[in-house]
Amino acid sequence: MTAAISPTPSAKVHARPMLEINKLGKSFGTTEVLTSIDLSVRPGELVFVIGPSGSGKSTMLRCCNRLEEPSSGTILLDGEHVTACQGRALDKMRLKIGMVFQGFHLYPHKSVLANVMLAQVKALKRSKADAKTRAIEMLEHVGLAHKAESMPSELSGGQQQRVAIARALALDPKVMLFDEPTSALDPELVGSVLKVMKQLREEGMTMLVVSHEMEFAREAADRVVFMDGGVVVESGPPEEIFGNPQSPRLQSFLSRVNRGGE
Protein backbone atom coordinates (compact mmCIF):
# COMPACT_ATOMS: atom_id res chain seq x y z
CA MET A 1 0.00 0.00 0.00
CA THR A 2 1.24 3.49 -0.77
CA ALA A 3 2.21 5.90 2.00
CA ALA A 4 -0.16 8.58 0.75
CA ILE A 5 -1.30 10.01 4.09
CA SER A 6 1.14 12.50 5.57
CA PRO A 7 2.04 11.55 9.14
CA THR A 8 2.27 14.23 11.78
CA PRO A 9 5.38 13.69 13.94
CA SER A 10 4.91 14.54 17.63
CA ALA A 11 1.32 15.50 16.81
CA LYS A 12 -0.13 14.01 19.97
CA VAL A 13 1.73 16.53 22.11
CA HIS A 14 0.70 19.44 19.87
CA ALA A 15 -0.43 22.44 21.93
CA ARG A 16 -3.76 22.95 20.18
CA PRO A 17 -6.44 20.28 19.72
CA MET A 18 -7.29 19.39 16.15
CA LEU A 19 -10.95 19.03 17.13
CA GLU A 20 -12.40 20.80 20.15
CA ILE A 21 -15.98 20.44 21.40
CA ASN A 22 -17.00 22.91 24.11
CA LYS A 23 -20.25 22.81 26.10
CA LEU A 24 -22.07 21.16 23.20
CA GLY A 25 -25.80 20.81 23.65
CA LYS A 26 -28.41 19.38 21.31
CA SER A 27 -32.16 19.13 21.71
CA PHE A 28 -34.84 17.78 19.42
CA GLY A 29 -37.92 19.72 20.45
CA THR A 30 -38.20 19.30 24.21
CA THR A 31 -35.93 16.24 24.25
CA GLU A 32 -32.37 17.04 25.31
CA VAL A 33 -30.01 14.59 23.59
CA LEU A 34 -26.64 16.16 24.45
CA THR A 35 -25.84 18.10 27.61
CA SER A 36 -22.73 20.29 27.83
CA ILE A 37 -20.31 17.91 26.06
CA ASP A 38 -16.63 18.81 26.42
CA LEU A 39 -14.28 16.74 24.29
CA SER A 40 -11.03 17.41 22.43
CA VAL A 41 -8.97 15.34 20.02
CA ARG A 42 -5.28 16.16 19.57
CA PRO A 43 -3.58 15.91 16.18
CA GLY A 44 -2.78 12.29 15.39
CA GLU A 45 -4.93 10.98 18.23
CA LEU A 46 -7.54 8.23 17.93
CA VAL A 47 -10.36 8.86 20.39
CA PHE A 48 -12.94 6.10 20.72
CA VAL A 49 -16.47 6.87 21.97
CA ILE A 50 -18.46 4.06 23.56
CA GLY A 51 -21.80 3.90 25.31
CA PRO A 52 -25.25 2.34 25.15
CA SER A 53 -27.59 2.90 22.22
CA GLY A 54 -29.37 6.23 22.54
CA SER A 55 -26.61 7.86 24.58
CA GLY A 56 -26.04 10.63 22.00
CA LYS A 57 -22.77 9.37 20.48
CA SER A 58 -23.81 9.60 16.82
CA THR A 59 -25.61 12.91 17.37
CA MET A 60 -22.43 14.37 18.82
CA LEU A 61 -20.45 13.14 15.82
CA ARG A 62 -22.96 14.59 13.35
CA CYS A 63 -22.81 17.95 15.14
CA CYS A 64 -19.06 18.07 14.46
CA ASN A 65 -19.65 18.71 10.75
CA ARG A 66 -23.06 20.33 11.22
CA LEU A 67 -25.10 17.48 9.75
CA GLU A 68 -26.99 18.17 12.95
CA GLU A 69 -27.14 21.78 14.13
CA PRO A 70 -25.93 22.18 17.72
CA SER A 71 -28.39 23.86 20.05
CA SER A 72 -25.57 25.36 22.12
CA GLY A 73 -21.81 25.30 22.51
CA THR A 74 -18.95 25.58 20.05
CA ILE A 75 -16.92 23.25 17.84
CA LEU A 76 -13.47 24.18 16.54
CA LEU A 77 -11.39 22.44 13.89
CA ASP A 78 -7.71 23.31 14.08
CA GLY A 79 -8.67 26.60 15.73
CA GLU A 80 -11.41 27.50 13.25
CA HIS A 81 -14.99 27.85 14.48
CA VAL A 82 -17.10 25.20 12.75
CA THR A 83 -20.21 26.44 14.53
CA ALA A 84 -19.75 29.98 13.17
CA CYS A 85 -19.52 28.95 9.51
CA GLN A 86 -22.40 29.55 7.11
CA GLY A 87 -23.01 28.99 3.41
CA ARG A 88 -19.92 28.39 1.30
CA ALA A 89 -17.66 28.74 4.34
CA LEU A 90 -19.46 25.80 5.92
CA ASP A 91 -19.14 23.77 2.71
CA LYS A 92 -15.39 24.41 2.71
CA MET A 93 -15.13 23.52 6.38
CA ARG A 94 -16.93 20.21 5.83
CA LEU A 95 -14.30 19.23 3.26
CA LYS A 96 -11.76 19.25 6.08
CA ILE A 97 -13.84 16.79 8.12
CA GLY A 98 -14.00 13.30 6.62
CA MET A 99 -17.08 11.29 7.62
CA VAL A 100 -17.67 7.56 7.31
CA PHE A 101 -21.16 6.30 8.17
CA GLN A 102 -22.77 2.94 8.95
CA GLY A 103 -24.10 2.85 5.41
CA PHE A 104 -21.65 3.27 2.60
CA HIS A 105 -23.57 5.92 0.61
CA LEU A 106 -21.88 5.04 -2.67
CA TYR A 107 -23.54 6.00 -5.94
CA PRO A 108 -24.74 2.63 -7.29
CA HIS A 109 -24.65 3.73 -10.93
CA LYS A 110 -21.03 4.93 -10.79
CA SER A 111 -17.84 2.87 -10.69
CA VAL A 112 -15.65 2.70 -7.62
CA LEU A 113 -13.18 5.08 -9.26
CA ALA A 114 -15.93 7.55 -10.19
CA ASN A 115 -17.28 7.47 -6.63
CA VAL A 116 -13.88 8.44 -5.23
CA MET A 117 -13.33 11.12 -7.90
CA LEU A 118 -16.72 12.84 -7.74
CA ALA A 119 -16.37 15.08 -4.67
CA GLN A 120 -12.82 15.97 -5.62
CA VAL A 121 -14.00 17.37 -8.94
CA LYS A 122 -17.25 18.94 -7.70
CA ALA A 123 -16.16 20.29 -4.32
CA LEU A 124 -12.37 20.73 -4.53
CA LYS A 125 -12.48 21.70 -8.24
CA ARG A 126 -9.63 19.33 -9.04
CA SER A 127 -9.10 18.43 -12.66
CA LYS A 128 -10.35 14.99 -13.61
CA ALA A 129 -6.77 13.87 -14.20
CA ASP A 130 -5.64 14.97 -10.74
CA ALA A 131 -8.77 13.54 -9.13
CA LYS A 132 -8.20 10.22 -10.84
CA THR A 133 -4.57 10.10 -9.68
CA ARG A 134 -5.60 10.85 -6.09
CA ALA A 135 -8.48 8.36 -6.24
CA ILE A 136 -6.20 5.56 -7.40
CA GLU A 137 -3.69 6.44 -4.66
CA MET A 138 -6.40 6.21 -2.00
CA LEU A 139 -7.85 3.00 -3.42
CA GLU A 140 -4.36 1.52 -3.28
CA HIS A 141 -4.18 2.75 0.30
CA VAL A 142 -7.23 0.71 1.30
CA GLY A 143 -6.21 -2.26 -0.85
CA LEU A 144 -8.81 -1.85 -3.58
CA ALA A 145 -7.03 -0.37 -6.60
CA HIS A 146 -7.84 -3.59 -8.49
CA LYS A 147 -11.57 -2.82 -8.02
CA ALA A 148 -11.41 0.69 -9.50
CA GLU A 149 -13.64 -0.15 -12.48
CA SER A 150 -16.06 -2.32 -10.51
CA MET A 151 -19.56 -1.20 -9.57
CA PRO A 152 -20.52 -1.00 -5.88
CA SER A 153 -22.94 -3.92 -6.29
CA GLU A 154 -19.99 -6.12 -7.23
CA LEU A 155 -18.25 -5.47 -3.90
CA SER A 156 -18.70 -6.98 -0.46
CA GLY A 157 -19.89 -4.73 2.36
CA GLY A 158 -16.39 -4.50 3.75
CA GLN A 159 -15.03 -3.47 0.37
CA GLN A 160 -17.76 -0.86 -0.04
CA GLN A 161 -16.90 0.62 3.35
CA ARG A 162 -13.22 0.76 2.41
CA VAL A 163 -14.19 2.63 -0.77
CA ALA A 164 -16.13 5.07 1.42
CA ILE A 165 -13.00 5.58 3.52
CA ALA A 166 -10.91 6.13 0.37
CA ARG A 167 -13.44 8.68 -0.86
CA ALA A 168 -13.20 10.64 2.40
CA LEU A 169 -9.39 10.47 2.46
CA ALA A 170 -9.14 11.70 -1.13
CA LEU A 171 -10.40 15.10 0.05
CA ASP A 172 -7.37 15.44 2.37
CA PRO A 173 -9.34 15.97 5.60
CA LYS A 174 -7.78 17.20 8.82
CA VAL A 175 -9.86 14.79 10.89
CA MET A 176 -11.83 11.63 10.19
CA LEU A 177 -15.12 10.87 11.92
CA PHE A 178 -16.34 7.27 11.95
CA ASP A 179 -19.95 6.58 12.95
CA GLU A 180 -20.34 2.83 13.63
CA PRO A 181 -18.32 2.00 10.49
CA THR A 182 -18.57 -1.77 10.97
CA SER A 183 -22.09 -2.19 12.36
CA ALA A 184 -23.64 -2.98 8.95
CA LEU A 185 -20.99 -5.57 8.07
CA ASP A 186 -21.00 -9.33 8.43
CA PRO A 187 -18.58 -10.32 11.22
CA GLU A 188 -16.04 -11.83 8.83
CA LEU A 189 -15.77 -8.51 6.94
CA VAL A 190 -15.17 -6.28 9.96
CA GLY A 191 -11.45 -7.00 10.17
CA SER A 192 -10.60 -5.53 6.77
CA VAL A 193 -12.13 -2.17 7.74
CA LEU A 194 -10.49 -2.10 11.17
CA LYS A 195 -7.15 -2.87 9.52
CA VAL A 196 -7.44 0.27 7.39
CA MET A 197 -8.38 2.35 10.43
CA LYS A 198 -5.43 0.98 12.35
CA GLN A 199 -3.13 1.86 9.46
CA LEU A 200 -4.50 5.42 9.42
CA ARG A 201 -3.76 5.71 13.14
CA GLU A 202 -0.17 4.61 12.57
CA GLU A 203 0.18 7.27 9.86
CA GLY A 204 -0.96 10.04 12.18
CA MET A 205 -4.53 10.64 11.02
CA THR A 206 -6.68 12.35 13.66
CA MET A 207 -9.78 10.21 14.26
CA LEU A 208 -12.92 10.31 16.38
CA VAL A 209 -14.65 6.94 16.29
CA VAL A 210 -18.07 5.87 17.55
CA SER A 211 -18.23 2.08 17.62
CA HIS A 212 -19.07 -1.05 19.59
CA GLU A 213 -15.80 -2.72 18.56
CA MET A 214 -14.43 -2.93 22.11
CA GLU A 215 -11.41 -5.08 21.31
CA PHE A 216 -10.35 -2.61 18.64
CA ALA A 217 -10.76 0.22 21.16
CA ARG A 218 -8.56 -1.63 23.66
CA GLU A 219 -5.89 -2.24 21.06
CA ALA A 220 -5.82 0.92 18.96
CA ALA A 221 -7.34 3.86 20.84
CA ASP A 222 -5.24 6.52 22.52
CA ARG A 223 -8.22 7.48 24.66
CA VAL A 224 -11.70 6.08 25.27
CA VAL A 225 -14.71 8.24 26.12
CA PHE A 226 -17.82 6.73 27.71
CA MET A 227 -21.11 8.53 27.07
CA ASP A 228 -24.47 7.83 28.63
CA GLY A 229 -27.62 9.93 28.75
CA GLY A 230 -26.15 12.66 26.57
CA VAL A 231 -23.16 13.38 28.81
CA VAL A 232 -19.52 12.32 29.00
CA VAL A 233 -19.40 10.11 32.08
CA GLU A 234 -15.78 8.97 32.02
CA SER A 235 -12.70 9.39 29.83
CA GLY A 236 -9.21 7.94 29.92
CA PRO A 237 -6.69 5.53 28.41
CA PRO A 238 -8.13 2.17 27.29
CA GLU A 239 -6.39 0.28 30.07
CA GLU A 240 -8.11 2.47 32.68
CA ILE A 241 -11.56 2.55 31.06
CA PHE A 242 -11.69 -1.20 30.51
CA GLY A 243 -9.47 -2.36 33.34
CA ASN A 244 -10.48 -0.04 36.17
CA PRO A 245 -13.77 1.74 35.42
CA GLN A 246 -14.64 4.30 38.08
CA SER A 247 -18.31 5.18 37.54
CA PRO A 248 -21.12 2.71 38.29
CA ARG A 249 -22.66 3.53 34.90
CA LEU A 250 -19.52 2.49 33.03
CA GLN A 251 -19.12 -0.60 35.21
CA SER A 252 -22.70 -1.62 34.42
CA PHE A 253 -22.24 -0.96 30.69
CA LEU A 254 -19.07 -3.04 30.46
CA SER A 255 -20.63 -5.91 32.39
CA ARG A 256 -23.54 -5.96 29.92
CA VAL A 257 -21.11 -5.84 26.99
CA ASN A 258 -19.10 -8.71 28.43
CA ARG A 259 -22.30 -10.72 28.74
CA GLY A 260 -23.22 -9.87 25.14
CA GLY A 261 -26.06 -7.56 26.16
CA GLU A 262 -25.04 -4.47 24.16
Side-chain angles (χ1 to χ4, degrees):
M1 290 186 182
T2 181
I5 305 298
S6 299
T8 50
S10 304
K12 294 175 188 178
V13 294
H14 195 279
R16 182 172 69 189
M18 180 61 74
L19 181 66
E20 191 171 2
I21 301 169
N22 299 309
K23 307 299 180 188
L24 178 64
K26 175 63 180 175
S27 297
F28 294 100
T30 58
T31 302
E32 190 175 43
V33 178
L34 299 175
T35 305
S36 196
I37 298 289
D38 288 319
L39 176 63
S40 64
V41 186
R42 296 187 297 275
E45 190 177 29
L46 193 167
V47 174
F48 217 93
V49 184
I50 64 173
S53 298
S55 59
K57 307 183 299 296
S58 292
T59 299
M60 177 195 70
L61 213 61
R62 291 170 66 86
C63 284
C64 288
N65 67 354
R66 304 267 300 278
L67 287 177
E68 294 288 356
E69 284 294 335
S71 302
S72 59
T74 59
I75 298 168
L76 288 84
L77 177 70
D78 199 16
E80 296 183 77
H81 279 268
V82 178
T83 35
C85 291
Q86 300 295 333
R88 289 185 178 179
L90 177 57
D91 292 339
K92 289 182 179 179
M93 180 65 73
R94 282 178 172 145
L95 294 174
K96 302 175 184 179
I97 305 173
M99 185 98 183
V100 178
F101 302 89
Q102 291 181 2
F104 321 122
H105 300 299
L106 302 179
Y107 291 101
H109 60 289
K110 292 184 179 293
S111 70
V112 164
L113 182 63
N115 267 279
V116 182
M117 288 176 58
L118 184 62
Q120 297 183 68
V121 174
K122 296 290 188 182
L124 293 184
K125 307 302 181 184
R126 282 181 181 155
S127 69
K128 287 186 177 180
D130 288 345
K132 182 176 180 179
T133 297
R134 184 62 174 165
I136 291 173
E137 286 178 352
M138 292 299 95
L139 288 170
E140 286 177 353
H141 207 65
V142 301
L144 288 175
H146 63 293
K147 295 290 188 180
E149 299 304 327
S150 298
M151 303 301 285
S153 61
E154 299 174 300
L155 306 183
S156 69
Q159 289 172 330
Q160 290 186 59
Q161 190 62 292
R162 283 150 61 197
V163 171
I165 294 172
R167 177 179 57 189
L169 292 174
L171 298 176
D172 304 318
K174 290 187 174 185
V175 63
M176 287 283 287
L177 310 178
F178 291 86
D179 187 9
E180 299 282 6
T182 60
S183 65
L185 303 180
D186 293 334
E188 66 268 23
L189 302 177
V190 169
S192 65
V193 174
L194 297 183
K195 181 179 178 181
V196 170
M197 294 171 67
K198 186 187 237 182
Q199 179 184 342
L200 293 176
R201 176 191 184 273
E202 292 169 354
E203 292 164 352
M205 175 59 73
T206 307
M207 293 187 282
L208 182 58
V209 179
V210 168
S211 177
H212 290 291
E213 297 291 341
M214 299 297 167
E215 287 305 314
F216 182 68
R218 288 175 188 265
E219 178 185 354
D222 294 296
R223 189 155 39 98
V224 177
V225 174
F226 171 64
M227 286 182 62
D228 192 16
V231 301
V232 172
V233 177
E234 198 165 333
S235 175
E239 58 271 20
E240 291 182 9
I241 292 295
F242 294 111
N244 188 29
Q246 298 298 303
S247 71
R249 288 159 82 178
L250 177 54
Q251 292 168 7
S252 174
F253 172 75
L254 291 176
S255 69
R256 293 197 305 272
V257 169
N258 291 335
R259 294 195 306 266
E262 274 292 339

